[in-house]
Each structure stands twice: as C-alpha cells, then as structure tokens.
Amino acid sequence: ETGVTQTPRHLVMGMTNKKSLKCEQHLGHNAMYWYKQSAKKPLELMFVYNFKEQTENNSVPSRFSPECPNSSHLFLHLHTLQPEDSALYLCASSHPQDTQYFGPGTRLTVL
Amino acid sequence: QKEVEQDPGPLSVPEGAIVSLNCTYSNSAFQYFMWYRQYSRKGPELLMYTYSSGNKEDGRFTAQVDKSSKYISLFIRDSQPSDSATYLCAMRSSSNTGKLIFGQGTTLQVKP
C-alpha cells in the first residue's frame, strides 16, 4: 500500500443518495488531487488543492463537491449522481508540481 | 487530436520477452515524463520518472524520451507474469499548474 489511503474502497449508491469519499495522505505533501478513471479513458483530473486552497476545478458538475480541511485530508461529497458517474475515483498527493502518488481508489457504482 | 496517444492494447507476450510500450504527444511544452503501473483494482504506482530527453534505467525497466519526435517509450526486459498490468504514461510542462496529462493506458499480459 502507498502512503495515500482511500475509504470506502467500494460504494454503491442510488441516484438520490448523498455520500462522501475520503482520502488521507501520510507523505507530508501539500497538494492533493481527485481523478476519475472510467473504462477505456485516460484519467480525468477533477480537482486540485494546494495548501488547502482549490487551484483547479476541471469543469466538474456541481453534484461533485470537494472539501480539503487540511493538507492531509481530502473529501469528495457526492449527491444526485447519474449512472454515468460510475467509475474508479482516485486520490493523489504530491509536493506542489512534483510527482504524484495515488491511493487505491474508490470503485463507485451509481444505480 | 488527443494531447497524449497510447495504444490501449491488450498486448500479450510470453515470459522472458522484451516489451516495448509507447506514447506520442502533441504539446512541445511537456518536460516531465512518467510511467505508472496499475494492477487490477489498485491505484497507479509510479514506475519511472524522467526529465526532458534521454534514457533512464532502473533494473529491468528503461524509459526513453525523444522530444524531437514527441515520443516516449518504456522497455521491460525479461518480462515476468507479475508485470501483467496496465501501464499509463503521463507528462506535464514546467508551468505553475503542474497538471499531469495521462495516456489511456496499455494493458499488458505476460504469459508463463
């Protein structure tokens, strides 16, 4: 396992549910990232936080809401998702503009 | 045109073969190049990291960057069944955003 942990590892939710994904890094990094990985597509960057401040929102729908309370923790709050949002959601961390280290991901299924 | 092109495969080779994985890109500003390995149901793990053009070797793995051709390669010597995974290339410029651009990933299967 890497120094980046994610919970839960698997999540099944209905379109009307509200859930949250959690990421924690133990590497002393100050940048954290959310990515979406769908089958047969490149990783899609969703959000970037540097020193707890959001520095990038890659045109992500508002049904995805990130939160970064400190440099070690990152959340992705989910509400009224669509079936096409089913994917592997990956968290990563790094020193700013340096190599990114990934967590194991949360496999999300939206029914 | 995608910024980074990578043949998704799958690529199947016998154990012990030399494997060549490749990516092409269109943005001449890319300066940093990475290869990640992703096993099934796991997150990507960094395998190789290179800056600008040239070669870098680490055990059975060699990364090559040819900026003039906008082409990067990962070679795996004496491939093992444990090398079976998806290999993702990634790259970024030296700008302040540091945004990584990934290829689609190539799925490799090494058969015993």
Side-chain angles (χ1 to χ4, degrees):
Chain A
E1 283 293 344
T2 66
V4 181
T5 59
Q6 289 186 245
T7 54
R9 295 294 303 275
H10 301 273
L11 178 62
V12 179
M13 60 187 288
M15 291 167 63
T16 58
N17 291 157
K18 287 184 180 182
K19 296 286 185 184
S20 295
L21 310 184
K22 180 182 175 183
C23 175
E24 185 173 358
Q25 59 96 1
H26 310 275
L27 300 170
H29 293 156
N30 287 303
M32 296 189 78
Y33 312 78
W34 279 118
Y35 286 88
K36 176 183 179 183
Q37 188 175 35
S38 304
K40 304 191 188 305
K41 285 187 175 181
L43 266 72
E44 300 172 50
L45 180 65
M46 300 174 73
F47 301 104
V48 181
Y49 278 82
N50 277 288
F51 297 91
K52 303 189 297 178
E53 298 296 321
Q54 186 179 130
T55 54
E56 181 138 359
N57 176 337
N58 208 24
S59 303
V60 180
S62 60
R63 56 186 185 269
F64 294 91
S65 174
E67 179 191 358
C68 188
N70 55 61
S71 292
S72 298
H73 293 86
L74 186 65
F75 295 89
L76 188 62
H77 304 298
L78 316 170
H79 64 98
T80 59
L81 294 191
Q82 305 298 310
E84 59 264 30
D85 296 323
S86 299
L88 181 68
Y89 288 85
L90 290 160
C91 173
S93 72
S94 74
H95 293 299
Q97 296 137 47
D98 202 351
T99 308
Q100 294 178 26
Y101 293 86
F102 286 83
T106 294
R107 175 69 60 186
L108 174 67
T109 303
V110 181
L111 300 176
Chain B
Q1 183 189 8
K2 295 178 186 175
E3 275 194 285
V4 179
E5 298 272 3
Q6 185 177 9
D7 186 341
L11 179 63
S12 182
V13 302
E15 183 175 355
I18 297 174
V19 175
S20 173
L21 304 168
N22 312 294
C23 288
T24 59
Y25 61 94
S26 56
N27 188 346
S28 57
F30 288 146
Q31 296 274 6
Y32 300 88
F33 304 91
M34 284 134 274
W35 286 95
Y36 284 86
R37 177 176 61 195
Q38 186 174 21
Y39 290 114
S40 181
R41 298 184 184 85
K42 300 274 190 179
E45 58 175 321
L46 182 69
L47 202 56
M48 298 288 279
Y49 179 82
T50 54
Y51 170 71
S52 195
S53 284
N55 293 3
K56 183 174 183 178
E57 189 173 319
D58 184 1
R60 296 184 295 111
F61 298 90
T62 300
Q64 281 188 354
V65 175
D66 182 349
K67 289 193 69 184
S68 62
S69 301
K70 296 191 181 70
Y71 187 88
I72 69 170
S73 301
L74 178 70
F75 296 96
I76 307 174
R77 289 182 299 281
D78 187 25
S79 56
Q80 303 295 311
S82 58
D83 295 327
S84 299
T86 297
Y87 290 80
L88 307 165
C89 65
M91 49 199 78
R92 66 176 180 87
S93 69
S94 56
S95 72
N96 288 336
T97 63
K99 184 176 173 180
L100 268 184
I101 307 298
F102 283 85
Q104 188 177 339
T106 300
T107 299
L108 171 67
Q109 184 180 25
V110 181
K111 294 185 175 179

